[in-house]
Every structure is written in structure tokens, then in C-alpha cells.
Amino acid sequence: GESVGLHLPTLSVQEGDNSIINCAYSNSASDYFIWYKQESGKGPQFIIDIRSNMDKRQGQRVTVLLNKTVKHLSLQIAATQPGDSAVYFCAEMDTGRRALTFGSGTRLQVQP
Amino acid sequence: DGGITQSPKYLFRKEGQNVTLSCEQNLNHDAMYWYRQDPGQGLRLIYYSQIVNDFQKGDIAEGYSVSREKKESFPLTVTSAQKNPTAFYLCASSPRAAVNYGYTFGSGTRLTVV
């Protein structure tokens, strides 16, 4: 039968507020990290990436922060909009096999 | 338009049947990947291929098989040996496996055992 999935952690914010989504990664040798957005029933969409020789990268309304000391990645979304409601995944590049390993995801709910 | 196409969008399988999920890309990408997603969970790597005629097992390859005879195509067969195949299957591609690029994903195939 179908497996029962774990409940995703959920972040609920008001429209216009800033959102911060956190991710702990597992492999200290990972050298490349990506944030993806996934809407219900669709494939993940690329948001922003960062290489391990950086600690911050900014895009349009989004910022990714990387703390290699504690193996932590965060995604900041400025002025969150209802269209930002989705599940967000972080992913790390396995330097050995060169394939992305994904975290378990965080659901972002934006209240109008 | 360049992109990655998965078909069918929905697929129903009877117990004991093999089914094949299609993944085609016209992005001229060398590397292709198959992931499985269960409800409320992240993506788990099934198989990946860095170049034509070559592929490697991911973390959950048991009960699945793939082929990579053409650069554009990376079909996934879910065999009867896969005991719990009901899931959302995602195919992705990237320009080259050895270089850090984000993946482009297809829109997925939802497989249900009936």
C-alpha cells in the first residue's frame, strides 16, 4: 500500500513579511547548494544556488546564506507574496557521484 | 521551446506488472536523473546517467531499471520487484554532471498501483 509520509514542517507568514526557511545539510564535502520551489503536483523549480566558496548570494527578492561551519543553509524571501506559497527544498551536490541530494522540505503558507 | 517532458502524467499499474515512464529532453543536456517523491517527503535518487550508454544506481534503485540509448531519452521501468511503487516520479537533466548546474525538472508522473 501507499506509504504514509511525514508531515512537512510548515512556515506560515503574512503577505508582505519576510520569510526565512532553514535547512541542515549532511555532507561537509558538498560544494554546491540549490534551493527549489515545488508547487502541488508539479516538478521543482530552481530558485537560487550557491557555491561553497561563498557565504551569501542574492537574487530577485531571495537571498541564500551558507554557514559551512554548522552545515546550515537558509533561504530568505523578502516581501512574501501569496504566489510564494509552495514547498521549498534545499539540495546539496554530492562531490563523489555528482548528483543532488534533497532535504525533506518546508511548506510555506502565505496568509493574505 | 526547450524543456524536459515526462509522460504519462498519470499511470495506473496492476500488481505484478512492469510499467515504463518516459522522459525526453531537447536541452542537449548530457546528464539525466530519476527521483522518487513520496507524500510529504523529499526527493530520493533512483538512477542517474552522466552520458549516453552509461548509468549508475542511486539510493533506491532496487525494483527499477533504466536505459540511456539516446542523449534525449532516459526511460524508467518500474518492475514487479518494486514492492511499493505508488509515488510521484520526477525526471531531471543538467548540462554536464561534472559541473555545478541546477537541474531542470519535468512535470512528473504520478504512478498508482491498483
Side-chain angles (χ1 to χ4, degrees), chain B residues 16-67:
Chain B
Q17 274 186 340
N18 292 355
V19 290
T20 297
L21 283 59
S22 171
C23 179
E24 303 278 332
Q25 54 98 0
N26 60 2
L27 299 165
N28 200 32
H29 285 177
D30 284 341
M32 298 186 75
Y33 310 84
W34 273 106
Y35 286 88
R36 169 182 171 140
Q37 186 175 30
D38 291 287
Q41 297 189 30
L43 283 65
R44 292 185 289 166
L45 183 66
I46 305 173
Y47 267 98
Y48 62 107
S49 169
Q50 297 180 348
I51 199 165
V52 176
N53 293 322
D54 187 44
F55 50 84
Q56 290 80 38
K57 293 182 178 180
D59 299 317
I60 55 165
E62 185 175 352
Y64 300 98
S65 66
V66 293
S67 62

Side-chain angles (χ1 to χ4, degrees), chain A residues 21-64:
Chain A
I21 301 171
N22 296 303
C23 175
Y25 63 92
S26 57
N27 188 348
S28 57
S30 294
D31 62 357
Y32 178 59
F33 304 87
I34 308 176
W35 280 100
Y36 281 93
K37 172 186 179 182
Q38 186 179 29
E39 297 173 329
S40 182
K42 297 183 179 179
Q45 295 173 276
F46 174 94
I47 301 173
I48 191 168
D49 61 358
I50 188 168
R51 287 166 170 72
S52 59
N53 60 352
M54 305 171 68
D55 53 20
K56 179 179 180 179
R57 188 157 189 240
Q58 288 183 290
Q60 187 177 14
R61 280 202 309 121
V62 295
T63 301
V64 55

